Amino acid sequence: MPIETRQLEPGIAEVVIDHPPVNALDTATWFELADAVTGAGRPADQRALVLRAEGRGFCAGVDIKELQRRGNEALVEVNRGCAAAFAAVYDCEVPVIAAVHGFCLGGGIGLVGNADIVVASDDATFGLPEVDRGALGAATHLARLVPAHKLREMVYTATAVSAEELARFGSVATVVPASGLVEAALGLARQLATKSPTILRRAKESLNAIDPVDVRRSYRMEQGFTYELHVRGVADEQRQAFVEKRQADTSR
């Protein structure tokens, strides 16, 4: 199964992404992830949720090959799936700790940016390659991880940054060797497991309520520009070039 839910200890659950080769998620898996995160946070005695992945990296975003294979309907469906998964992390009833290793790209940024706490391995990198893929989106969530001008640089250039750099910004709580990533996330979860589950839930609800940006609305607005690029045909060229492993036509 590409998404697995486990109860690690009393009050601590984990949701694991395991969708080889690179954890690029198709439409069905985005919705499955949304359901798993929501369900794992629902029990009244739950206090924390660890979101992590197996394999080469945390998440490579959407499955571009699915988009090229299925066309317009796939684009609509996967955008809704991403929105559902990102919102599930944000609205999860308990704090979500994202444990990131390897690459965290595109939709991975949407998940991590909406998490409550982020821990990362020293090989982790974070980026939005959307401009090179004919899409826009998840800048809403990247804005929660980096300062405004760094956000613009990363979006325009499609370059990634290291976990160490995010730690300097304060958006990654700790950077550890890859071998210690799960234990680092679990250590934070155990701290939360000593708290009142009722108070933790109200704390998360109150923090969401005072956010200056409505992340759901902001992300859906970004997706509208992806639709525009798709309709104009520019996005299709960028995606097909990625699938064919060639240089895209950037004349438009």
Side-chain angles (χ1 to χ4, degrees):
M1 294 289 289
I3 305 297
E4 293 187 19
T5 303
R6 304 165 185 151
Q7 191 68 35
L8 297 178
E9 298 178 6
I12 303 173
E14 74 170 0
V15 172
V16 182
I17 303 168
D18 188 5
H19 194 49
V22 294
N23 289 330
L25 307 186
D26 57 23
T27 299
T29 306
W30 283 112
F31 282 111
E32 183 182 349
L33 177 58
D35 290 343
V37 169
T38 299
R42 186 170 290 140
D45 59 349
Q46 205 77 282
R47 291 167 170 83
L49 171 64
V50 175
L51 176 62
R52 67 176 187 87
E54 296 285 354
R56 292 162 52 188
F58 178 77
C59 180
V62 305
D63 183 351
I64 292 178
K65 292 181 180 178
E66 181 194 25
L67 297 182
Q68 292 306 92
R69 185 174 66 252
R70 296 182 52 225
N72 292 346
E73 193 61 29
L75 180 63
V76 172
E77 291 173 1
V78 79
N79 278 354
R80 287 190 174 277
C82 286
F86 301 168
V89 172
Y90 187 77
D91 293 325
C92 182
E93 295 183 39
V94 299
V96 176
I97 301 168
V100 183
H101 75 285
F103 46 78
C104 177
L105 302 171
I109 294 291
L111 298 171
V112 172
N114 269 359
D116 296 277
I117 303 172
V118 184
V119 296
S121 61
D122 53 15
D123 67 346
T125 57
F126 301 76
L128 281 184
E130 266 58 0
V131 165
D132 287 346
R133 303 289 182 265
L136 294 170
T140 292
H141 313 93
L142 184 59
R144 299 164 67 84
L145 300 172
V146 301
H149 283 85
K150 188 64 179 179
L151 165 72
R152 288 173 180 260
E153 175 195 339
M154 291 177 67
V155 170
Y156 296 150
T157 64
T159 54
V161 298
S162 68
E164 290 285 358
E165 186 162 1
L166 290 192
R168 290 196 293 271
F169 296 142
S171 47
V172 165
T174 186
V175 180
V176 298
S179 60
L181 179 62
V182 174
E183 188 57 36
L186 190 55
L188 282 166
R190 285 173 176 148
Q191 291 184 49
L192 301 184
T194 67
K195 313 298 181 183
S196 159
T198 303
I199 296 174
L200 277 177
R201 281 168 161 73
R202 298 295 76 77
K204 176 152 187 180
E205 189 176 356
S206 68
L207 290 171
N208 284 2
I210 64 172
D211 261 339
V213 174
D214 183 332
V215 293
R216 302 186 250 347
R217 180 181 301 170
S218 179
Y219 176 59
R220 291 299 281 169
M221 185 278 294
E222 286 188 81
Q223 287 184 321
F225 289 94
T226 295
Y227 289 126
E228 177 183 331
L229 293 172
H230 177 73
V231 169
R232 290 179 180 272
V234 181
D236 190 67
E237 160 59 17
Q238 298 286 318
R239 291 194 302 264
Q240 192 59 36
F242 173 77
V243 170
E244 296 174 356
K245 296 181 172 56
R246 61 172 172 82
Q247 181 66 42
D249 178 3
T250 59
S251 62
R252 295 178 60 197

